[in-house]
Amino acid sequence: MYDTRGARTSARARASAAVLGAALLLAGCSSSDGDRAAGPGAGITQQPKSADPFWVNPDGTAARQLAAYEKAGKKTDAAQIRKIAEQPVGEWIGPENPEQEARGFTEAAEKSDRTALLVLYDIPHRDCGQYSQGGAADGDAYRAWIDGVARGIEDRPATVILEPDAVLHLVDGCTPDEFHEERYDLLRGAVDKLKSLKNTKVYLDAGNAGWGHPDQIFQPLQQAGIDRADGFAVNVSNFYSTQDSIAYGKQLSAKVGGKHFVVDTSRNGNGPYTEGDPAQKWCNPPGRALGETPTTKTADPLVDAYLWVKRPGESDGTCKGGPKAGQWWASYALALARNSN
């Protein structure tokens, strides 16, 4: 019934060894703009730092798919997947080894003179029992998890997208009332912990242009600590156009002290899906396309960046023939790439 929010990437399947492997792969890389990165996807490069300071993972799922297509001689498919593999995407920190994963990603990014883009998604009672249900067992477990993430980041540059849907689900009736007070406390604590780090920026998730009106969420954002964060994120894992997302974000910004925001443009190239079951239009919709590539050069001074928070090619959930939420789906990735410019 929560058709305006996308299912989120589950990080459980991503082993910590792979994270550390990515860091080791980059150990010999220099930091010049457009530098070639080692890794399984031949020819993966870092984007020019002046426009896109975020780290491209040369050992990411798309890079591995690219390498497999190249090895199989599937040049056309490889060229399409390269559109994804060469862009920085959010690294969703898993529940078991937050310190190790955060350290692996931020060390790898620092060695390439880039900033790690991390997504924290482990709030208790996550996703209201839907496709990405789960999260920390309780408040104390969540606080310990955040502490682990912070130890892993240390003073290395990082941009953090904090808890997709966590505030939105306090507003839309999805999260039961008895969990509200604790969730606000956990989000405030997470913001404060992460902002105590020297080079970490924090953006609280704030929904999307299609779910409701900024009047409904600005006070909950204030309760969640938006005043201490760098800003908020809109359109995470969703499909609303960049233009509509900016309009929504600017309205919301005016209500929370002029805070800046970032927009997830990973899959919004063709806008939202408007056909089929309204309750499922957010889940693996057909005909979608990659959006603007990640950059800090945006169309509005309030927009700090266009980011690929959702990892293009990973499923929203077991709908429309998709695998479990967060699992790589090569045919969907190819469709996103083919439909983009």
Side-chain angles (χ1 to χ4, degrees), residues 270-321:
N270 283 342
Y273 186 59
T274 58
E275 301 176 19
D277 181 0
Q280 290 284 304
K281 67 181 183 181
W282 56 268
C283 191
N284 298 323
R288 301 311 91 195
L290 303 173
E292 288 96 338
T293 54
T295 183
T296 53
K297 295 185 181 298
T298 68
D300 192 282
L302 281 175
V303 184
D304 286 346
Y306 301 145
L307 302 175
W308 285 9
V309 182
K310 171 71 176 182
R311 299 155 67 91
E314 293 187 353
S315 176
D316 290 318
T318 53
C319 57
K320 301 182 182 68

Side-chain angles (χ1 to χ4, degrees), residues 167-168 171 203-224 226-227 231-236 243-263 300 302-303:
V167 177
L168 175 61
V171 178
Y203 294 88
L204 270 166
D205 184 69
N208 58 71
W211 80 273
H213 193 276
D215 283 345
Q216 298 170 265
I217 200 171
F218 81 90
Q219 289 179 325
L221 277 174
Q222 291 170 336
Q223 289 181 259
I226 189 65
D227 60 316
F232 56 92
V234 300
N235 203 48
V236 170
Q243 180 180 0
D244 288 347
S245 296
I246 291 176
Y248 170 80
K250 290 177 72 172
Q251 291 180 58
L252 183 53
S253 174
K255 297 177 181 296
V256 291
K259 284 289 185 178
H260 286 209
F261 59 98
V262 296
V263 179
D300 192 282
L302 281 175
V303 184

Side-chain angles (χ1 to χ4, degrees), residues 29-54:
C29 296
S30 66
S31 59
S32 61
D33 283 358
D35 199 26
R36 184 173 297 274
I44 298 299
T45 61
Q46 298 298 327
Q47 295 295 324
K49 187 178 179 182
S50 58
D52 185 1
F54 302 101

Side-chain angles (χ1 to χ4, degrees), residues 124-140:
H125 319 293
R126 188 182 70 193
D127 204 37
C128 310
Q130 302 300 309
Y131 288 123
S132 294
Q133 63 182 292
D138 54 34
D140 287 342

